[in-house]
């Protein structure tokens, strides 16, 4: 299975579950909506940001294209899953809500995936050491010469 499909489906399910959770809180616990919305929104952004940072840190090939495809997959799938979840768990939302979720809702989910993922890739790429740089010996031997350089004497 392609990496973009895995990322897209996982994030679609997570985002749809989060959106259904916020809608549930809006219906049954209106007094806590500010906190619930903020925490869920931050968690949703954090997941894509972290996953993108890991991809950047690992320097996966074609990671930007992978995240574009993942976002374009996650948007409509999350919209459909949101309508299904809301219909089952909250207020029996009908098929009429599907049009909105496949247009503006999907676009919002796409942005919630692609922007933090690209930011995470940028950060992850900066955190990782340059692969061309040799890893220095971390053991402290008291020797002031560069690690890996020949010593020049016969004893080693």
């Amino acid at each position: 299975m392609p990496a973009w499909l895995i990322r897209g489906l996982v994030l679609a399910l997570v985002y749809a579950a989060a959106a259904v959770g916020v809608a549930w809180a809006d219906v049954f616990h209106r007094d806590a909506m500010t906190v619930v919305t903020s925490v869920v929104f931050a968690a949703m952004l954090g997941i894509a940001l972290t996953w993108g940072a890991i991809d950047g840190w690992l320097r996966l090939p074609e990671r930007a294209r992978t995240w574009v495809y993942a976002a374009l997959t996650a948007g409509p799938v999350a919209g459909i899953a949101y309508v299904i979840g809301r219909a089952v768990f909250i207020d029996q939302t009908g098929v009429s809500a599907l049009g909105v979720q496949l247009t503006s809702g999907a676009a919002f989910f796409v942005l919630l995936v692609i922007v933090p993922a690209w930011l995470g890739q940028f950060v992850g790429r900066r955190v990782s050491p340059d692969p061309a740089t040799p890893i220095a010996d971390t053991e402290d031997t008291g020797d002031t010469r560069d690690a890996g350089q020949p010593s020049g004497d016969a004893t080693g």
Side-chain angles (χ1 to χ4, degrees), residues 29-119:
H29 299 287
R30 240 179 204 282
D31 55 339
M33 279 311 296
T34 305
V35 173
V36 169
T37 304
S38 300
V39 169
V40 169
F41 188 71
M44 289 169 41
L45 292 177
I47 291 169
L49 182 82
T50 303
W51 206 342
I54 290 170
D55 285 354
W57 181 63
L58 294 175
R59 297 174 195 267
L60 295 180
E62 296 189 5
R63 60 191 169 274
R65 182 180 310 193
T66 298
W67 278 102
V68 169
Y69 291 161
L72 292 175
T73 302
V77 172
I80 292 168
Y82 170 72
V83 170
I84 292 170
R86 188 170 175 130
V88 170
F89 297 113
I90 300 172
D91 59 4
Q92 299 176 351
T93 299
V95 178
S96 61
L98 199 55
V100 173
Q101 287 303 317
L102 287 178
T103 54
S104 60
F108 182 66
F109 285 130
V110 166
L111 287 175
L112 283 180
V113 171
I114 204 163
V115 171
W118 280 355
L119 182 62

